[in-house]
Amino acid sequence: MPVPKGSTIDPERTRAAILKAATPVLYERGLDGIGVAELCALIGVSKETLYRHFGTKDGLVEAMLRARSDRVSRWLAEAVAAAGDDPRAQLAAVFDTLGEWFEDPVFRGCAMVNAAAQHHDETVRAVTTRHLGRYIDLLTGIAERAGAADPPLLGRQLLMLVEGATVVAAHHGAAGTGEQARQAALALLSAATQSASGENPGASGENPGASRDNPGDDDSSGDDDSGDSGSDRGRSDSSGD
Amino acid sequence: MPVPKGSTIDPERTRAAILKAATPVLYERGLDGIGVAELCALIGVSKETLYRHFGTKDGLVEAMLRARSDRVSRWLAEAVAAAGDDPRAQLAAVFDTLGEWFEDPVFRGCAMVNAAAQHHDETVRAVTTRHLGRYIDLLTGIAERAGAADPPLLGRQLLMLVEGATVVAAHHGAAGTGEQARQAALALLSAATQSASGENPGASGENPGASRDNPGDDDSSGDDDSGDSGSDRGRSDSSGD
DNA sequence: CCGAGATCGTACCGATCGGTTCGATCTCTG
DNA sequence: CAGAGATCGAACCGATCGGTACGATCTCGG
């Protein structure tokens, strides 16, 4: 039955509904773990409608990733805003919020990072880089308000904790990961703030120097080093990358 | 020309050669980014030979991941062993070694984590979990030798830094990431050791409690929550969960 | 009230992919 | 030297997938 009797036709809402329904499926099954036909059946929409709104499957994927990045970033920013004025409390709120996410039974890691691991095209990578940039902005802001010696450096280190905790929670047990990451983040914040007044930045003599973010994409088109021409295949070098 | 004139036939070496040649290709192109036919053409082997040695493509992938995990783990362990007896120097060696890897133009993140993001089957996930466990063992050993208050906790937090730095280097610029992560790791180590003598473990009042590693797989078979029956599709809730 | 447009369901198409088979050719073992 | 086994190259197969086409049905704007 095309266009059910009492339904209202609203293309924009249809598009939003497709996005909303497809997001968890693509996240849990993987971008290539489900075909368009099955996806359409699951979310209750015809293939023609999906293609009319998104053009291609990659178009749907990109729109989904952008919407998810928006939503997650807003979610974290609201958690920070709700934590009051204390930068330490704001940082703790970030990891408490992440910890709740980790405990979700459908948690499978960061959707953007996962997507970049699946689709090597530049479009998805750009969304992922932008997503990490949003995290860095949030974390660097906390570092600045806390009076860190080098806010961009601390922001990037905190981003490592955020993404690292996500990976660890996804692949090595989620229990406690949020609290463990929060404790580490607060320890880093303490170290960066106590060395800010008096001593020179760079704590223990190092100068990591992350003055500004450098999202330089290290794309590679290099081919492998298979210098085997075809004569004898069995060489004795079995180690060494 | 099957079996070239002067070549030696040695199945085990052929298998090793396939593994060695396929590893960089599958890493750079992605597990699903290249078909068996093209892969065989690239590494110079016939499909029949590949299937005779590995049974299926997934068999090749699993063998490749296991070999890569072995190699990378050994690589890091040797870097630690070569850093002398000082735990701080050992920890610095870990991140210096990682930093070199990040700068490699073909660097694309952790192969095991990427593989787990691509193939959702339990086999690949198990290899990834085992891989992270090896990292934890290495890092927890350093934490113990350094006299950390809670070595398993610090080991897990350092793992977060390792994996987080890998993600950040892959998707937000590799320049400086190794040094930045090393500085953060040393700061965490300092905080964990200076609080070990005298105060109670758990620095700032938290009890993250990572007494032992808990690689409990949080697998999920739950279906999504698409409670849309099909009447009107356009709902107004656009900011759910 | 009528035409434009949105949607459905299904059928269809070409491409690709994982995997198999087969004959030919060469090496290794007994 | 003879048979077993390894390898190649190419053809082949069934399944799946992304994407298109089409007729039918319903809503909405003028």
Side-chain angles (χ1 to χ4, degrees), chain B residues 8 57 71 205:
Chain B
T8 65
K57 186 185 184 182
R71 180 168 58 84

Side-chain angles (χ1 to χ4, degrees), chain A residues 40-53:
Chain A
C40 287
L42 272 179
I43 68 185
V45 85
S46 72
K47 289 176 68 175
E48 181 173 351
T49 297
L50 187 146
Y51 279 106
R52 183 168 0 101
H53 282 295

Side-chain angles (χ1 to χ4, degrees), chain B residues 116-220:
Chain B
Q118 295 167 49
H119 284 12
H120 290 199
D121 53 285
E122 204 55 37
T123 308
V124 172
R125 291 183 61 107
V127 175
T128 304
T129 300
R130 190 191 64 160
H131 185 66
L132 296 193
R134 289 170 165 179
Y135 278 6
I136 279 209
D137 291 342
L138 186 75
L139 297 167
T140 303
I142 295 177
E144 285 174 352
R145 291 190 292 277
D150 188 344
L153 168 63
L154 181 58
R156 210 150 191 269
Q157 291 169 328
L158 291 174
L159 174 66
M160 294 179 200
L161 271 182
V162 167
E163 292 300 326
T166 304
V167 168
V168 171
H171 300 302
H172 206 267
T177 303
E179 297 98 289
Q180 296 156 15
R182 179 189 57 190
Q183 195 257 336
L186 291 176
L188 281 185
L189 182 62
S190 295
T193 49
Q194 80 182 32
S195 72
S197 57
E199 302 183 4
N200 52 352
S204 57
E206 325 291 346
N207 55 348
S211 57
R212 253 301 122 190
D213 52 345
N214 47 354
D217 41 352
D218 50 358
D219 198 30
S220 69

Side-chain angles (χ1 to χ4, degrees), chain A residues 2-9 34-36 47-48 51 56-57 233:
Chain A
V3 189
K5 293 280 289 280
S7 70
T8 64
I9 284 186
I34 188 172
V36 175
K47 289 176 68 175
E48 181 173 351
Y51 279 106
T56 65
K57 187 185 182 182
R233 181 175 298 101

Side-chain angles (χ1 to χ4, degrees), chain A residues 12-68:
Chain A
E12 296 195 19
R13 287 199 174 181
T14 300
R15 183 190 153 99
I18 293 175
L19 225 44
K20 177 178 171 63
T23 297
V25 179
L26 289 173
Y27 175 67
E28 294 163 33
R29 299 274 298 262
L31 302 185
D32 296 327
I34 188 172
V36 175
E38 190 185 358
L39 179 63
C40 287
L42 272 179
I43 68 185
V45 85
S46 72
K47 289 176 68 175
E48 181 173 351
T49 297
L50 187 146
Y51 279 106
R52 183 168 0 101
H53 282 295
F54 299 98
T56 65
K57 187 185 182 182
D58 284 344
L60 169 67
V61 166
E62 183 188 346
M64 180 271 291
L65 289 176
R66 290 187 175 277
R68 181 154 187 145

Side-chain angles (χ1 to χ4, degrees), chain B:
Chain B
M1 49 184 111
V3 188
K5 292 279 287 281
S7 69
T8 65
I9 286 185
D10 188 335
E12 295 195 20
R13 287 198 175 180
T14 300
R15 182 191 153 99
I18 294 174
L19 224 43
K20 176 180 168 65
T23 297
V25 179
L26 289 172
Y27 175 66
E28 293 163 32
R29 299 272 299 264
L31 302 185
D32 296 327
I34 188 172
V36 176
E38 190 185 358
L39 178 64
C40 287
L42 272 179
I43 68 184
V45 86
S46 72
K47 290 176 66 175
E48 181 173 353
T49 298
L50 188 144
Y51 279 106
R52 185 167 0 99
H53 282 295
F54 298 98
T56 66
K57 186 185 184 182
D58 284 344
L60 168 68
V61 166
E62 183 187 348
M64 180 271 292
L65 289 177
R66 291 187 175 275
R68 181 154 187 145
S69 173
D70 294 348
R71 180 168 58 84
V72 173
S73 301
R74 197 181 327 119
W75 185 46
L76 268 190
E78 288 171 358
V80 167
D85 290 339
D86 180 20
R88 292 185 65 88
Q90 294 175 352
L91 188 58
V94 168
F95 287 91
D96 287 342
T97 306
L98 287 176
E100 293 177 19
W101 180 38
F102 296 163
E103 311 277 352
D104 191 323
V106 303
F107 171 72
R108 277 199 58 85
C110 174
M112 289 77 192
V113 172
N114 288 353
Q118 295 167 49
H119 284 12
H120 290 199
D121 53 285
E122 204 55 37
T123 308
V124 172
R125 291 183 61 107
V127 175
T128 304
T129 300
R130 190 191 64 160
H131 185 66
L132 296 193
R134 289 170 165 179
Y135 278 6
I136 279 209
D137 291 342
L138 186 75
L139 297 167
T140 303
I142 295 177
E144 285 174 352
R145 291 190 292 277
D150 188 344
L153 168 63
L154 181 58
R156 210 150 191 269
Q157 291 169 328
L158 291 174
L159 174 66
M160 294 179 200
L161 271 182
V162 167
E163 292 300 326
T166 304
V167 168
V168 171
H171 300 302
H172 206 267
T177 303
E179 297 98 289
Q180 296 156 15
R182 179 189 57 190
Q183 195 257 336
L186 291 176
L188 281 185
L189 182 62
S190 295
T193 49
Q194 80 182 32
S195 72
S197 57
E199 302 183 4
N200 52 352
S204 57
E206 325 291 346
N207 55 348
S211 57
R212 253 301 122 190
D213 52 345
N214 47 354
D217 41 352
D218 50 358
D219 198 30
S220 69
S221 62
D223 43 357
D224 52 309
D225 55 346
S226 65
D228 201 348
S229 63
S231 55
D232 70 319
R233 182 174 298 98
R235 274 97 50 91
S236 56
D237 55 340
S238 61
S239 67
D241 61 328

